[in-house]
Amino acid sequence: ENQSIWMHMSYKYYLQLLKHRMYNLFFEEMKTGMLPFINGEVYGRSLLECSSFITSSAFNDPASVGRGYLARLTGSTAEFLSIWRLMFIGHDPFILNDEGSVEMQLIPALPLWLF
């Protein structure tokens, strides 16, 4: 864990970008550190699995650099679910219409390059 890259801290950063509606910066940053954009062979586990940390280049064993490890329950999963909600559902999915009834309103934030 020493000198490793803590995924949940990166995901906290990505989440805050979305919460503050900094979409352009979020979509640029996610390309360099979110699981769908990481080389699965280097990561060393399924890209569907959030790790606790990734071994950095400061580690002595070059074969371990970039590998994901799960030392304990990870906050990366919780942050990823919040990111997913903001990306695909939006900030405020429930609104009151003019008659005072609750309605669901989906306002996803997705760039065209994902399609």
Side-chain angles (χ1 to χ4, degrees):
E1 295 181 18
N2 189 23
Q3 297 183 354
S4 295
I5 301 161
W6 292 91
M7 285 189 68
H8 76 278
M9 296 306 290
S10 297
Y11 277 39
K12 282 181 184 295
Y13 167 67
Y14 303 141
L15 179 57
Q16 290 307 310
L17 292 175
L18 275 179
K19 283 185 174 181
H20 290 89
R21 293 174 162 77
M22 300 172 75
Y23 301 119
N24 290 335
L25 184 56
F26 168 77
F27 288 114
E28 283 305 310
E29 291 288 325
M30 74 180 275
K31 292 178 189 176
T32 62
M34 288 192 78
L35 285 179
F37 303 99
I38 292 176
N39 181 336
E41 290 180 21
V42 173
Y43 186 59
R45 58 180 49 228
S46 168
L47 293 179
L48 299 174
E49 245 181 274
C50 284
S51 294
S52 295
F53 60 93
I54 297 176
T55 308
S56 77
S57 58
F59 195 67
N60 293 337
D61 179 9
S64 294
V65 174
R67 286 195 164 272
Y69 292 91
L70 193 59
R72 62 187 67 83
L73 292 176
T74 175
S76 302
T77 303
E79 274 87 20
F80 185 79
L81 290 173
S82 295
I83 289 168
W84 185 93
R85 183 184 64 82
L86 290 173
M87 285 178 66
F88 293 94
I89 296 175
H91 285 266
D92 301 305
F94 299 102
I95 60 168
L96 287 177
N97 65 19
D98 294 336
E99 291 81 39
S101 297
V102 175
E103 289 183 353
M104 186 170 196
Q105 171 182 282
L106 301 177
I107 304 177
L110 299 169
L112 289 175
W113 60 262
L114 282 176
F115 298 93

